């Protein structure tokens, strides 16, 4: 047997040994990696459901806010139409929490930010209507909107906090090697709000009560 064949067999042996080691590692730590990843993924996806629930709560408030404002004939109808259209767009976008893609999340965020902007315009216009500001039902709706905006911020932050341990888990060695081998888990996207949107829209007004 010549030296070339010996060298070739030696390389093949190294490759086979490496493959055996890889399989051993996969079987030794694979189940633990997989089960932990499933737990972390489920935690993150369930938290995303809380995010969507908070946004839905805001969407459910809007018809009552709009209908109350409609009772004032001089109130800018174009502002109300803008809120209605933004709400329709925001509620038309749904995301499968088990498969959140960057494009889906961006689309979802843009729609929700559009609704936030429309609500901000509504509240700015509302400031110019003393009678509407004095409406007890409207005041309570606005207060509830503020509480909902704060809840949205809380749930988004909790979602990001739940995504981080999952992403770290699948990236660490040898987890990353195992994950590449089984091709099961993909890195989850974080909710990245635009600059300044970490603050809820300002909805506190002087309603004439001291």
């Amino acid at each position: 047997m010549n030296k070339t064949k010996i060298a070739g067999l030696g390389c093949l042996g190294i490759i086979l040994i490496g493959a055996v080691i890889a399989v051993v590692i996969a079987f030794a730590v694979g189940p633990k990696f997989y089960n932990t990843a499933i737990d972390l993924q489920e935690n993150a996806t369930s938290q995303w459901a809380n995010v969507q629930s908070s946004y839905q709560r805001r969407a459910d408030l809007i018809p009552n806010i709009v209908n109350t404002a409609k009772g004032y004939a001089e109130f800018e109808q174009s502002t109300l139409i803008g809120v209605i259209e933004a709400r329709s767009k925001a509620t038309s976008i749904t995301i499968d929490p088990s498969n959140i893609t960057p494009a889906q999340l961006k689309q979802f965020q843009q729609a929700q930010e559009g609704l936030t902007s429309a609500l901000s315009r509504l509240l700015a216009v509302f400031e110019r209507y003393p009678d509407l500001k004095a409406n007890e039902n409207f005041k309570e709706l606005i207060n509830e909107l503020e509480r909902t905006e704060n809840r949205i911020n809380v749930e988004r932050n909790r979602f990001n906090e739940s995504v981080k341990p999952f992403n770290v888990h699948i990236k660490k060695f040898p987890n990353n090697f195992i994950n590449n081998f089984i091709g099961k888990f993909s890195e989850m996207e974080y909710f990245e709000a635009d600059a300044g949107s970490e603050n809820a829209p300002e909805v506190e007004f002087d309603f004439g009560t001291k």
Side-chain angles (χ1 to χ4, degrees), residues 106-130:
K106 183 178 181 180
Q107 184 184 33
F108 179 87
Q109 288 181 231
Q110 288 177 338
Q112 296 298 340
E113 287 160 7
L115 180 52
T116 298
S117 178
L119 283 172
S120 296
R121 289 192 295 273
L122 171 67
L123 295 171
V125 171
F126 149 77
E127 176 68 5
R128 300 198 296 267
Y129 291 80

Side-chain angles (χ1 to χ4, degrees), residues 49 78 86 163 205:
S78 61
V163 166
F205 297 106

Side-chain angles (χ1 to χ4, degrees), residues 30-147:
K32 182 179 180 181
F33 158 76
Y34 185 88
N35 292 334
T36 301
I38 289 294
D39 289 340
L40 294 173
Q41 185 182 58
E42 284 298 313
N43 185 48
T45 54
S46 66
Q47 184 54 45
W48 176 254
N50 292 338
V51 173
Q52 290 186 307
S53 176
S54 296
Y55 277 117
Q56 184 61 51
R57 184 184 181 195
R58 178 172 73 167
D60 292 342
L61 279 171
I62 291 173
N64 290 331
I65 293 174
V66 169
N67 288 335
T68 303
K70 277 182 177 179
Y72 293 77
E74 296 180 356
F75 198 87
E76 281 87 339
Q77 297 303 306
S78 61
T79 302
L80 296 178
I81 292 172
V83 173
I84 293 169
E85 291 177 347
R87 178 188 182 274
S88 177
K89 183 176 181 180
T91 55
S92 69
I93 299 174
T94 58
I95 293 179
D96 178 2
S98 65
N99 184 32
I100 302 176
T101 67
Q104 287 177 329
L105 190 55
K106 183 178 181 180
Q107 184 184 33
F108 179 87
Q109 288 181 231
Q110 288 177 338
Q112 296 298 340
E113 287 160 7
L115 180 52
T116 298
S117 178
L119 283 172
S120 296
R121 289 192 295 273
L122 171 67
L123 295 171
V125 171
F126 149 77
E127 176 68 5
R128 300 198 296 267
Y129 291 80
D131 291 341
L132 182 55
K133 287 169 61 176
N135 183 296
E136 291 296 325
N137 181 49
F138 198 81
K139 285 193 290 186
E140 179 53 35
L141 288 170
I142 295 301
N143 288 335
E144 184 62 23
L145 177 62
E146 181 186 34
R147 292 190 289 268

